[in-house]
Each structure stands twice: as C-alpha cells, then as structure tokens.
Amino acid sequence: MKINRNDPCPCGSGKKYKKCCLLKENIVQIGEAREERFLQERHELVLKLNRFLERKISINQMYQLHSEFRRRTQGKLAESNIQGFFQYWLNYFRFFDNGLRGIEWFFQENNSKLTNEERKLAENWVKLTPKVVQAIGKSGNDILFEEVETKEQYTIADNKESFFAPWVGTISLIENYGNQYYFNGVRVFLGPQNISRVKAFIQKLVEETKSSRDHVLFEYYPEIIGEFLAESKDLEIDRKEIHECTIQYQVKDMAAVTDFLQEEPEFVIDFWEQDDKKLSWLSNRMEFFDSEMNGKAQIAENLGTISLEKNLLQFYCYDKKILERFKQKVEKLNNFVVLINEKIQSHFIPFQVEVKNMAVQFSENIPKYFALYAQNNLQSEMDQKIPMYDGFSIRELVESGRIEEAETWLRHQEYNLYQLVKNDFGKVEKTADFNTIRKVLGLPLSPFVTGGESRISGVMPIKASNKTPLVNNEDIPFYESLGFTPDTIDNFYAKSLVRFFKEKTEGKSENTVRKYKNSLYDLRLILESTPLNSWDQLDQTNWERIVLNDYFDLFYSVSKTQVKDFLSTLKKLAKWLDERENTSLSDDLQRAIKKTEKKRFQIAGV
C-alpha cells in the first residue's frame, strides 16, 4: 500500500510520514548512495594508478619485479591471489629508483589531471600507512579492529565480505570516508596465532634494521605477508610419533565372545546384527552443560572401535597402551579366541595435534554444533601441556606471567572453533563458551561469546553403573523356560545356564529337554536365594549345602529319578563351566556329592 507524504507514519510515532520515517529512509538512501559513489570512484582511481605504472615500468622490469615478489613471499601466496597482492605491492609499498612509491609517483605526475574527488582520494592514499589489525569487538555488522602495536581502533562494516570470526586479523591500509573506515586494497584474514607471529616478526625486523616500524611495514611487505600466510606445516615445529594399532582374533566360540562384549561396562554397542557387530570402547563419561543450551548432553572419550564379523574379532585404536589394555581384557577369552594378526603402524604428526575421538549424545532439540562445543570444552584441559609453549599448560602460562601467550592460545581456539562451525553449518547463531575458562584463569572475558559474562558451561563425571545386558530375541524363550525375569537376567549365572541349556538340548528328545529344563530351573531357584556373586564362590561347602539342603527344600517329596537327573545335570554343568569359563568347579562338586551321598538317600527315602 502506498503511503502519502502527509499520512500518519506507520511506525506509530504520531508524526506525519514526511516528518518521520520518510526522512530516515532518505538519509539511509543518501548514505548508501554516497558509499556506492565512493567505492566506484576508488575503483576507477585504482585502474588509473595501475595503467600509470604499466606505462612507467618496462616489460622486462615488470618480470623482474614479479620474480622478486615471488621470492620474497617464499611462495606462500596461492596462484589465484598472487597477481592482486603483487599489484598492491607495486601501488603502495615498492620504492622505485626515484625514491617514490607507486602512489607517490602517480600523484606527483597526475595531480593536475585529477578531478577534485580523485585528488582528495590520491592525496589521502599517499598518507596511509600499513596496519596490522585484529578484531576485538562486534556490534551487528560493525567490527571493531585494533592495531596490535599502536592500539588505534577502527570500526569497519562486514557487509559483503563475511570475513568475521572472533579475533580475526589482517594486514592492510585503512582509509576514512564519511566517518566510516574502509580496508584499502587486497587482504587476507587469518587467526590470532598468525597475527601474533607476524607481530613478533615485524618487531624482529625493526630491531635488526634499526628502522621505524612504518618503514619496515613498507620496505618488507613481501616478507611480512609471507610470514603472515605461513601455515603450521610450513614452520619448523616438533613432531611426535603416534601408532595406528589393529589386532585380530579368530573366534572359536561365538557365544562366549558375544557375552564378553555385552558384559564389558565400557563397551557400547553401535549396532548388533547376526553376522556383523560394531562397538565403541568409551571411557571417562561426562555430562556436558551449557547455559545457552536447552538441555544436557553426555560425552565420552572413544578409545577404539571393536568389530565382530562372522568369526573375526577386530580392535582398532591409535595408542599402543590402549591396545595392551584391550589384550588384557581378551585374556579371559583365551579358550575361545586365537590371535591371528597384530599390526602397529607409526605416523608422525605436529606435536601440538591431539588424536582424540569423542562420542557425544544429545537430545534432538539441541543444535548439532553444540556437539563441537562439548568436544572442545577447555575446562578439563587447563592442565594439559601445550608443546608450542615449552610444555606449559594454559594455567601455568597464566601463573608464570606469560599472559600474552595464554591470550593468543585462547583466542586461536575460539577463532578456530567459530570457523569450524561456520564452515559446517553456514551460520553461527550461538558461539562457544570461552568465558568460563577465562573466569577461572582470571583473564578478561571475550566480547564474542554469546551470553557474555553470564555464560557458563562445563562437564561433570557420570557415576559408573552396571551395564544392562543385551538379550538376543532368539534367546528370550530359553530365559523364560528356565524361569528368568527382567529383574534376574543380569544375575551372574543367567547367561551361563541359558547357553548350557541351549547346547545340551539342541536337536535332543523331549525327555532330554525336560530333564535339563527342570534341573536348571531348580538350580536357578536355589542360586537366587544365595548371596553368591560368581561361580568361583561355589566351593565344596556351598555345593554340599545345595545338593543336601537347598535342593530338597524345594519339594514336599522327591523321587530317585529327580535327584539323579539333578546331580547329573550339575556334573555336566560344572565340567562345561570349567571348559568354557575357566572355572574349577568339578572337583569340589564331586567331593560334595560323595560326602553327602548317604544322607541324600535317607532324605529321598531310597
């Protein structure tokens, strides 16, 4: 709907539209038009500057300069960027034989030919000095940058480039137009460690050349931009060895191995199919909380992955110590598996890189990027050694007064995590919490953390609980036949009795099935009434009590056949357990049966 100039303003102010928002819209439009005209004029003047230098510099000299620029930047610039940075160097930094930089030379010879606007621009460009700036605040699209040495501050809008990340920085000329600052020319934005490193590099050049900082920034721009762009892989850094470990076993008894995997409290099932099973070995389970997250989450360190496919048990990890721990766990399966292959491969990685795999579990309503925040929560790593800082932890850096290094490290973690979320999810609606650790360390808070001073996050240990056993669907009828309930299927004897029952009755007659079913049902009733926690506690005394007292207490009367079937089943079960679960029950049971034989006959009326 069209709004006339004299209509009431739709904003509700009570004023006429022409006296209210129409005026504001005109002001905004005028501002946008002025900015667009400024950017266009600047672009046209740059083209004139480029053409001027093309005329003044011979082709051979241009090739020489190009070769010099490549050499001095040490090949750090990508081919797609090198021409832009080379032209930028020629225009504003390179001193030619006449002692003038490109822009000074251009202004000197073309001053009278320029329009008033062009003259003002060119005159301003002559006065510009390079700045090394870093973002220290943000309001809407406006980013507050600070020169790392002089502490001068510049507010620059991030309207089109989308360069923002916490503590991002660059090396550039900065010009002012209409109370607004703008970057001049090509630039690249990188993180706090790059800024810290190039700051130190510039200071080193100042000391070595005994020149002013501004002169160094002009004269050594190619070296400085090369140092700024250097990645970790380009630097001389310590490396450490890690080990990729794989071990494989041939499975002789699938039931024993599956029971072992299900009963280990730190082994978590990823999926469980008939011929293909995958598990994760999770340790150090913690609960993650964050005041900006609606809910809580659980995290754990994933020590390795386990697979059981057909008759092959395999474990994979990145630590020889973890491999040895797994082998110790598997020792209890000595009778059921055979080692067929063990392979350890060495790799060398930068010393500061940690190979750490985390498992994260969230409720559905929590944004997925909080998984990255949970994995990178620093509160639990305040005492972890940082190789690049002489092995000091972040806490030790602060306590020893190395505040600038501690700040650089924290800022780079915040920068990297923001970039990771931005790349994976396109937009960062809520940033990670780096203020909780800053409060603990007594450092200034980050202005980029969502929630500011009130933000709090952390982890809490989760108390270990007994693992609920997994019962295969096909085994449920056997558990039910022997009288087990959901409350008793995790008793120490449950799986053993079911496995024994299945093996001894498979393909047998109804009489045989009935014999084992009745005898094992009775044994289950007896064991449920005892305080025993393992088969190893069944010594001769306990067997005597079972075969002489507990068994007969189940009945008003009992036949000779019932007693015979029960004792026969016990003997076979004890032998089976000795073979399968490495117990020593048979001898004690035989002695108990022999010792109580006379009394049993009397009780049974035989």
Side-chain angles (χ1 to χ4, degrees):
M1 183 180 71
K2 183 179 178 181
I3 304 173
N4 296 318
R5 291 169 51 82
N6 291 316
D7 288 344
C9 187
C11 75
S13 67
K15 298 179 181 179
K16 290 184 179 181
Y17 179 51
K18 68 181 181 181
K19 296 290 187 181
C20 191
C21 287
L22 176 60
L23 185 62
K24 295 177 185 177
E25 289 176 8
N26 287 337
I27 291 173
V28 171
Q29 290 169 359
I30 290 170
E32 290 175 349
R34 282 178 178 171
E35 181 181 41
E36 191 140 340
R37 186 170 65 248
F38 161 69
L39 296 175
Q40 183 62 34
E41 289 173 349
R42 189 173 73 167
H43 174 68
E44 291 173 358
L45 188 59
V46 168
L47 294 179
K48 288 184 178 182
L49 173 57
N50 292 347
R51 288 193 293 269
F52 170 80
L53 292 176
E54 286 174 5
R55 292 194 303 270
K56 293 294 183 179
I57 303 172
S58 68
I59 293 177
N60 285 340
Q61 187 183 5
M62 190 68 79
Y63 279 131
Q64 291 174 0
L65 289 170
H66 208 281
S67 177
E68 176 191 346
F69 186 74
R70 281 179 176 273
R71 174 177 53 79
R72 292 176 63 185
T73 55
Q74 304 174 58
K76 299 298 189 300
L77 285 165
E79 283 299 321
S80 58
N81 293 331
I82 194 166
Q83 184 57 39
F85 277 94
F86 171 68
Q87 190 67 54
Y88 190 48
W89 174 59
L90 290 184
N91 288 357
Y92 299 102
F93 296 88
R94 177 69 159 79
F95 288 92
F96 292 93
D97 293 340
N98 58 10
L100 300 175
R101 294 178 293 119
I103 181 60
E104 294 171 336
W105 191 3
F106 169 78
F107 186 64
Q108 185 182 81
E109 295 198 9
N110 292 274
N111 184 13
S112 61
K113 303 174 185 177
L114 301 175
T115 66
N116 287 335
E117 290 299 323
E118 288 175 337
R119 188 177 299 109
K120 288 179 184 178
L121 277 176
E123 189 174 12
N124 184 42
W125 290 357
V126 168
K127 298 175 184 177
L128 297 180
T129 57
K131 308 294 182 184
V132 182
V133 295
Q134 183 174 31
I136 62 167
K138 185 176 188 292
S139 177
N141 286 331
D142 290 335
I143 317 299
L144 179 62
F145 285 90
E146 182 178 79
E147 219 288 336
V148 296
E149 189 66 35
T150 67
K151 305 304 178 184
E152 298 169 282
Q153 294 185 352
Y154 312 90
T155 300
I156 299 177
D158 181 18
N159 292 325
K160 298 178 181 178
E161 294 184 84
S162 298
F163 57 75
F164 172 74
W167 313 108
V168 71
T170 191
I171 303 170
S172 180
L173 301 171
I174 297 178
E175 60 184 314
N176 181 280
Y177 178 81
N179 298 321
Q180 176 70 52
Y181 287 102
Y182 296 86
F183 288 118
N184 179 301
V186 295
R187 60 208 159 274
V188 62
F189 294 92
L190 295 174
Q193 285 185 353
N194 300 73
I195 289 290
S196 177
R197 188 173 63 246
V198 82
K199 177 185 175 184
F201 181 72
I202 293 168
Q203 183 58 35
K204 181 182 177 183
L205 288 174
V206 168
E207 294 170 359
E208 289 177 351
T209 63
K210 301 188 184 312
S211 303
S212 70
R213 185 169 180 269
D214 284 349
H215 178 78
V216 164
L217 284 165
F218 279 119
E219 184 67 39
Y220 295 95
Y221 175 77
E223 288 81 5
I224 291 169
I225 202 69
E227 181 69 17
F228 183 54
L229 292 169
E231 299 179 9
S232 298
K233 62 182 177 62
D234 301 317
L235 305 174
E236 290 294 328
I237 55 176
D238 293 332
R239 307 184 84 77
K240 65 180 178 182
E241 185 179 15
I242 64 166
H243 302 95
E244 183 180 2
C245 308
T246 306
I247 191 167
Q248 296 175 324
Y249 298 88
Q250 186 70 38
V251 176
K252 295 164 58 179
D253 188 324
M254 184 62 74
V257 174
T258 56
D259 285 350
F260 160 73
L261 295 177
Q262 292 172 12
E263 290 167 0
E264 277 294 329
E266 291 188 332
F267 293 173
V268 176
I269 295 171
D270 296 324
F271 66 91
W272 191 276
E273 301 294 340
Q274 182 72 25
D275 296 323
D276 191 9
K277 302 168 178 60
K278 294 285 189 299
L279 303 92
S280 297
W281 183 0
L282 303 184
S283 180
N284 300 324
R285 297 184 187 223
M286 310 285 280
E287 184 179 88
F288 173 74
F289 62 91
D290 191 315
S291 57
E292 290 291 328
M293 182 179 75
N294 185 22
K296 296 181 180 180
Q298 292 188 7
I299 61 175
E301 184 178 357
N302 192 338
L303 302 183
T305 57
I306 306 160
S307 65
L308 180 60
E309 189 172 354
K310 296 184 179 178
N311 290 318
L312 182 67
L313 174 66
Q314 178 173 284
F315 176 67
Y316 177 85
C317 69
Y318 272 101
D319 191 325
K320 288 198 293 187
K321 293 180 181 178
I322 300 299
L323 177 65
E324 291 303 315
R325 285 174 58 186
F326 182 78
K327 288 163 69 175
Q328 291 173 7
K329 286 181 177 291
V330 176
E331 284 179 0
K332 64 181 71 173
L333 291 175
N334 279 346
N335 294 331
F336 313 120
V337 296
V338 177
L339 176 63
I340 58 174
N341 185 36
E342 181 176 346
K343 186 166 94 173
I344 299 176
Q345 289 182 301
S346 295
H347 304 280
F348 289 89
I349 62 174
F351 210 98
Q352 69 268 26
V353 174
E354 288 293 325
V355 179
K356 194 174 183 180
N357 188 13
M358 302 294 291
V360 185
Q361 184 178 16
F362 280 86
S363 55
E364 291 183 0
N365 62 320
I366 297 176
K368 292 182 179 179
Y369 54 79
F370 271 96
L372 294 173
Y373 297 166
Q375 289 175 304
N376 291 275
N377 187 270
L378 296 180
Q379 279 82 286
S380 59
E381 299 182 3
M382 284 193 290
D383 297 309
Q384 184 172 311
K385 305 301 181 186
I386 307 173
M388 67 184 298
Y389 295 127
D390 307 319
F392 278 52
S393 67
I394 185 67
R395 193 196 302 273
E396 289 169 336
L397 285 176
V398 173
E399 291 174 349
S400 61
R402 297 168 65 174
I403 304 298
E404 186 173 347
E405 290 169 304
E407 272 288 351
T408 297
W409 188 82
L410 278 175
R411 289 178 178 188
H412 202 74
Q413 303 306 311
E414 187 173 358
Y415 166 84
N416 277 341
L417 190 51
Y418 183 95
Q419 293 285 51
L420 183 61
V421 173
K422 184 178 178 181
N423 291 337
D424 286 353
F425 298 93
K427 184 179 180 182
V428 185
E429 295 181 349
K430 294 183 179 180
T431 62
D433 175 25
F434 284 83
N435 280 347
T436 297
I437 188 173
R438 286 177 170 274
K439 293 174 191 174
V440 174
L441 295 172
L443 296 174
L445 301 185
S446 166
F448 304 110
V449 171
T450 305
E453 186 178 359
S454 62
R455 182 75 172 271
I456 185 170
S457 66
V459 292
M460 297 184 298
I462 296 176
K463 293 182 180 179
S465 58
N466 294 329
K467 185 176 179 181
T468 303
L470 179 70
V471 176
N472 295 327
N473 289 335
E474 63 267 22
D475 288 342
I476 292 176
F478 295 97
Y479 280 94
E480 292 176 343
S481 294
L482 299 185
F484 286 103
T485 67
D487 293 331
T488 59
I489 59 171
D490 58 347
N491 291 346
F492 77 89
Y493 47 84
K495 287 186 178 180
S496 299
L497 295 188
V498 169
R499 285 176 54 206
F500 174 75
F501 180 46
K502 287 173 64 178
E503 287 188 22
K504 294 300 180 182
T505 59
E506 186 176 5
K508 296 299 193 312
S509 65
E510 289 185 11
N511 287 337
T512 301
V513 172
R514 189 183 307 111
K515 165 193 164 183
Y516 280 107
K517 175 184 173 182
N518 292 339
S519 297
L520 293 174
Y521 189 99
D522 294 340
L523 178 59
R524 190 264 310 164
L525 285 173
I526 293 170
L527 292 174
E528 282 181 5
S529 64
T530 69
L532 301 176
N533 295 314
S534 72
W535 290 115
D536 292 332
Q537 292 178 327
L538 272 168
D539 55 15
Q540 182 177 335
T541 302
N542 282 317
W543 281 124
E544 289 177 10
R545 190 187 69 250
I546 289 173
V547 299
L548 185 62
N549 299 323
D550 295 344
Y551 178 70
F552 291 102
D553 288 344
L554 296 176
F555 309 99
Y556 288 108
S557 63
V558 63
S559 68
K560 176 181 176 181
T561 301
Q562 284 178 281
V563 176
K564 181 181 176 182
D565 287 347
F566 182 70
L567 295 178
S568 173
T569 300
L570 288 186
K571 291 176 185 178
K572 291 178 181 178
L573 174 64
K575 183 179 179 182
W576 184 88
L577 288 169
D578 289 349
E579 293 174 351
R580 298 300 181 91
E581 300 189 16
N582 211 20
T583 60
S584 301
L585 302 177
S586 293
D587 291 344
D588 283 340
L589 176 60
Q590 292 286 2
R591 285 191 289 268
I593 290 175
K594 186 173 182 180
K595 184 176 179 180
T596 60
E597 185 175 12
K598 186 175 181 180
K599 289 185 178 180
R600 282 201 318 277
F601 285 164
Q602 293 174 350
I603 294 173
V606 180

